[in-house]
Amino acid sequence: MPARKITAIAMIAAVYAAITLAVAPISYGLVQFRISEIMTVLPFITPLAIPGLFLGALTSNLFSPVGFYDVLFGSLASLIAAWLTSKMPNRWLAPLPPVLVNALIIGILLGTVSGLQIAIPVAMLYVGIGQLIVCYGLGIPFLLLLQRYGNRLPRKPL
């Protein structure tokens, strides 16, 4: 793989992890607004975002209060959601996989191993609402900006 592609993947991973950790109090837990999830629309634009988001989630989940389970299942949820996002037919559906996949997987995770006394469907609902707000409320405007102005940036093709 060319160095430019590896660099792009690493940059996506680093930015995702940095944003997650910078706002850590709201990035983890039952009610989470992981602002870095704004980046989950990137696989709609480039497949390089799939491994980048996976590695960024893996890195940031190392600091999760849920521990090993979040590293394993949270990172896997990000990988699945990123791959599904890359398959979406239009930009309005691009944020949907991260919302649904994280609500399901992270909701189950929080309802079973987090130590929180909460029913799994309620945990799924809370995670889903947080994802919905970030992925659609911030992700769609981010995607629209990238699609509108991204081609004006000087760059070489990856």
Side-chain angles (χ1 to χ4, degrees):
M1 183 178 288
R4 289 180 58 81
K5 289 184 179 184
I6 293 171
T7 303
I9 291 168
M11 286 177 54
I12 292 168
V15 170
Y16 182 97
I19 293 171
T20 301
L21 295 173
V23 292
I26 61 171
S27 295
Y28 302 100
L30 183 59
V31 179
Q32 53 183 265
F33 293 98
R34 195 174 269 203
I35 305 301
S36 54
E37 290 288 300
I38 189 176
M39 298 176 69
T40 60
V41 297
L42 291 176
F44 183 74
I45 296 173
T46 175
L48 297 176
I50 298 170
L53 291 171
F54 170 70
L55 293 170
L58 182 78
T59 303
S60 59
N61 289 342
L62 290 171
F63 301 91
S64 169
V66 180
F68 169 76
Y69 294 105
D70 202 13
V71 172
L72 180 63
F73 294 109
S75 304
L76 182 60
S78 294
L79 180 62
I80 294 167
W83 180 78
L84 289 171
T85 298
S86 73
K87 304 299 181 195
M88 289 293 102
N90 64 62
R91 63 184 171 205
W92 305 108
L93 294 176
L96 190 58
V99 173
L100 297 177
V101 171
N102 282 300
L104 178 69
I105 295 175
I106 305 306
I108 292 171
L109 180 69
L110 291 174
T112 56
V113 299
S114 69
L116 299 170
Q117 300 299 318
I118 189 157
I120 291 173
V122 175
M124 292 167 67
L125 181 66
Y126 280 137
V127 172
I129 290 171
Q131 284 289 119
L132 187 69
I133 291 168
V134 172
C135 293
Y136 273 94
L138 300 175
I140 286 287
F142 179 60
L143 180 58
L144 293 173
L145 283 171
L146 287 174
Q147 289 182 318
R148 183 168 182 178
Y149 298 109
N151 61 350
R152 295 182 186 180
L153 299 173
R155 62 178 176 207
K156 293 181 182 177
L158 295 173

